[in-house]
Amino acid sequence: MTKKNQTLGEFIIENQKAFPYSTGELSKLINAIRLAAKVVNYEVNKAGLVDILGSSGDINAQGEDQQKLDVLANEKFIQSLTNREIVCGIASEEEDDFVVINSKDNNHQNKYVVLFDPLDGSSNIDVNVSVGTIFSVYRRITPIGTPVSIEDFLQPGRQQVAAGYVVYGTSTMLVYTTGFGVNGFTLNPAIGTFYLSHPNMQYPKDGRIYSVNEGNYVHFPVGVKKYIKYCQEEEEDRPYTSRYIGSLVSDFHRNMIKGGIFIYPKSSLSNNGKLRLLYECNPMAFIAEQAGGRASDGYKPILDVVPTELHQRIPFFCGSENMVAKAEEFIAKYN
Ligand code: P6P
């Protein structure tokens, strides 16, 4: 049950009752993310004022230049999740390998693993474009009492127990699902409280926005090129509108509200596209499906893909059900 203007804390308590046999740990986990989101939001919002812009000088697991805020966001989420005695392991875009988190009794009793991209779109920070945090939560599948292992992180997205994102935009929002629909909370920065502003978010079945980096058009597979031309031709309700921020969380969030499709396909430059399966595509796909949308690699649902590596990439088509289905038709026909 949702009440507009409910705080996130009240919402968690009210919906905690919806989880039979739940020991409240998932609620504690969402609360840990809520705290870290507020801290990161504070730092992101003042980034232009203190010497926190620009590169940390380090290189992350992806060989990408690590922005200082990336490092800070990564540290804050790991710290907040570690302090709550609920998480047995963490994987992050900013960490080469997963991090083992032991319980305070030193006996590996915690049962959740969290994977996250602490600051997605961080290359936009220096130009004051919105960025985001993306997180994905699973129950561990290896025995309690033993250290977490890679199998706990390489579960299909269908096994997620929670997923969400924080978008640090014109306002800061936390949007998440625990498998019972998608709800959006907006931060009131004056008092540091998240309020339920977007209850029961629904992806429109159709839309007129397509989001893709058309600068890579020449490198796209034929089916993707054909679909982009389909979006641009003057027929029926087309041409559609092209909107691409270059920040997955922002492009996804706008399309979930207005209707639209986000595409990051494979190309001659990268056979699996750019986006990461475990901590970008799986959580966004879980949210999309929970909101009545669709998410695939162009052929099959993202959530059914069996992961093989922590940082593996995957082509990503996500958004309004009918738009993603149409894109898949073009890929099936031409690729
Ligand atoms: P490109 C940001 O770096 C990111 O990981 C996503 O947030 C975004 O959708 C994508 O990459 C943008 O990539 O190649 O279009 O700049």
Side-chain angles (χ1 to χ4, degrees):
M1 181 193 38
T2 59
K3 299 187 193 97
K4 194 111 174 162
N5 292 332
Q6 201 173 25
T7 69
L8 175 55
E10 291 163 343
F11 181 88
I12 289 172
I13 291 166
E14 186 141 305
N15 290 277
Q16 173 64 50
K17 300 166 198 156
F19 290 96
Y21 323 116
S22 168
T23 56
E25 285 167 316
L26 193 53
S27 300
K28 280 170 71 177
L29 200 153
I30 301 296
N31 275 315
I33 288 167
R34 170 176 60 160
L35 173 62
K38 289 184 197 176
V39 173
V40 172
N41 175 65
Y42 174 73
E43 296 298 340
V44 166
N45 283 347
K46 69 175 187 178
L49 303 174
V50 297
D51 178 30
I52 202 162
L53 282 176
S55 165
S56 66
D58 296 331
I59 300 294
N60 69 11
Q62 327 307 327
E64 294 163 345
D65 182 31
Q66 205 165 44
Q67 301 280 334
K68 284 180 182 173
L69 270 172
D70 273 344
V71 174
L72 179 139
N74 191 50
E75 288 166 3
K76 295 303 176 191
F77 274 92
I78 289 178
Q79 179 186 351
S80 184
L81 291 166
T82 302
N83 294 343
R84 300 288 175 108
E85 282 298 301
I86 32 182
V87 169
C88 58
I90 290 173
S92 165
E93 178 171 66
E94 303 303 330
E95 302 286 341
D96 299 7
D97 203 351
F98 63 87
V99 177
V100 177
I101 312 287
N102 201 346
S103 47
K104 65 183 174 205
D105 63 4
N106 210 20
N107 196 16
H108 300 288
Q109 292 304 301
N110 300 338
K111 63 183 179 190
Y112 293 101
V113 295
V114 178
L115 303 93
F116 68 99
D117 183 353
L119 210 57
D120 178 70
S122 53
S123 54
N124 291 313
I125 293 167
D126 287 354
V127 294
N128 205 10
V129 167
S130 56
V131 293
T133 297
I134 309 171
F135 64 90
S136 170
V137 185
Y138 295 84
R139 257 186 217 86
R140 71 176 296 177
I141 52 176
T142 56
I144 294 264
T146 63
V148 71
S149 63
I150 188 65
E151 294 89 347
D152 295 304
F153 296 93
L154 298 182
Q155 300 182 54
R158 200 70 69 191
Q159 303 303 317
Q160 292 174 96
V161 293
Y165 59 83
V166 183
V167 51
Y168 310 98
T170 43
S171 60
T172 293
M173 281 192 68
L174 170 62
V175 176
Y176 79 97
T177 181
T178 55
F180 296 84
V182 178
N183 291 283
F185 299 81
T186 300
L187 178 67
N188 177 342
I191 55 175
T193 301
F194 280 100
Y195 286 92
L196 178 61
S197 53
H198 297 67
N200 190 27
M201 297 182 82
Q202 293 294 314
Y203 237 114
K205 289 297 178 197
D206 291 294
R208 299 191 62 257
I209 294 172
Y210 70 102
S211 306
V212 63
N213 184 341
E214 295 190 60
N216 296 327
Y217 179 86
V218 290
H219 303 297
F220 289 158
V222 174
V224 174
K225 288 180 176 176
K226 294 281 189 185
Y227 177 69
I228 290 173
K229 288 306 169 198
Y230 168 84
C231 293
Q232 295 171 339
E233 66 192 11
E234 198 162 19
E235 291 280 343
E236 300 164 339
D237 61 342
R238 286 165 282 134
Y240 295 152
T241 297
S242 174
R243 286 285 183 275
Y244 191 73
I245 297 171
S247 181
L248 170 62
V249 171
S250 302
D251 282 314
F252 178 98
H253 186 74
R254 179 204 54 243
N255 290 353
M256 181 157 66
I257 292 170
K258 292 181 176 280
I261 182 171
F262 176 91
I263 299 173
Y264 209 106
K266 70 177 185 179
S267 73
S268 53
L269 301 175
S270 168
N271 198 39
N272 291 310
K274 174 182 182 182
L275 300 182
R276 309 293 176 174
L277 172 60
L278 293 186
Y279 41 79
E280 290 175 335
C281 299
N282 266 339
M284 300 312 256
F286 187 25
I287 295 166
E289 287 201 5
Q290 280 288 311
R294 187 182 179 113
S296 78
D297 61 0
Y299 300 92
K300 71 175 187 186
I302 289 286
L303 295 181
D304 293 338
V305 174
V306 180
T308 53
E309 292 165 33
L310 213 48
H311 299 291
Q312 73 184 80
R313 301 175 193 267
I314 192 165
F316 193 50
F317 298 74
C318 181
S320 295
E321 167 95 46
N322 297 337
M323 297 184 83
V324 176
K326 177 60 76 175
E328 291 168 359
E329 276 178 33
F330 277 90
I331 291 168
K333 183 173 179 183
Y334 291 101
N335 280 25

